Amino acid sequence: MSEEDVWKRRFAVFALVRLAGLAIFFLGIAIAFSDWLRVGGWPVLGIPIALAGLADAVLAPRLLKRVWERQPR
């Protein structure tokens, strides 16, 4: 596998991790403030899910970068 292929794959993983975190964040917001699961919303469940998604979107790419930097070339 060439160096370019490695970087393309890493970029794809990086983007998918960010998008997954964003999707989890919006799922939490939908649970908290809509009638999707319960009439009037369910903030006790939705807010922690939204915060977990936010943390995933922000922190997971940094952790991936750190892991990739430690790998031998």
Side-chain angles (χ1 to χ4, degrees):
M1 187 179 295
S2 71
E3 188 75 18
E4 184 177 342
D5 291 337
V6 170
W7 284 107
K8 283 181 180 180
R9 180 173 286 165
R10 286 180 180 180
F11 180 76
V13 170
F14 187 84
L16 287 174
V17 166
R18 274 228 152 122
L19 288 174
L22 190 61
I24 293 169
F25 172 75
F26 283 123
L27 174 68
I29 294 298
I31 290 171
F33 299 111
S34 72
D35 295 336
W36 195 41
L37 292 181
R38 193 162 121 176
V39 175
W42 201 356
V44 174
L45 179 64
I47 298 298
I49 291 174
L51 291 175
L54 184 64
D56 184 36
V58 172
L59 299 177
R62 291 181 185 183
L63 293 174
L64 279 174
K65 182 182 176 206
R66 200 177 289 170
V67 168
W68 289 333
E69 286 175 346
R70 290 183 184 169
Q71 287 181 348
R73 296 204 178 245

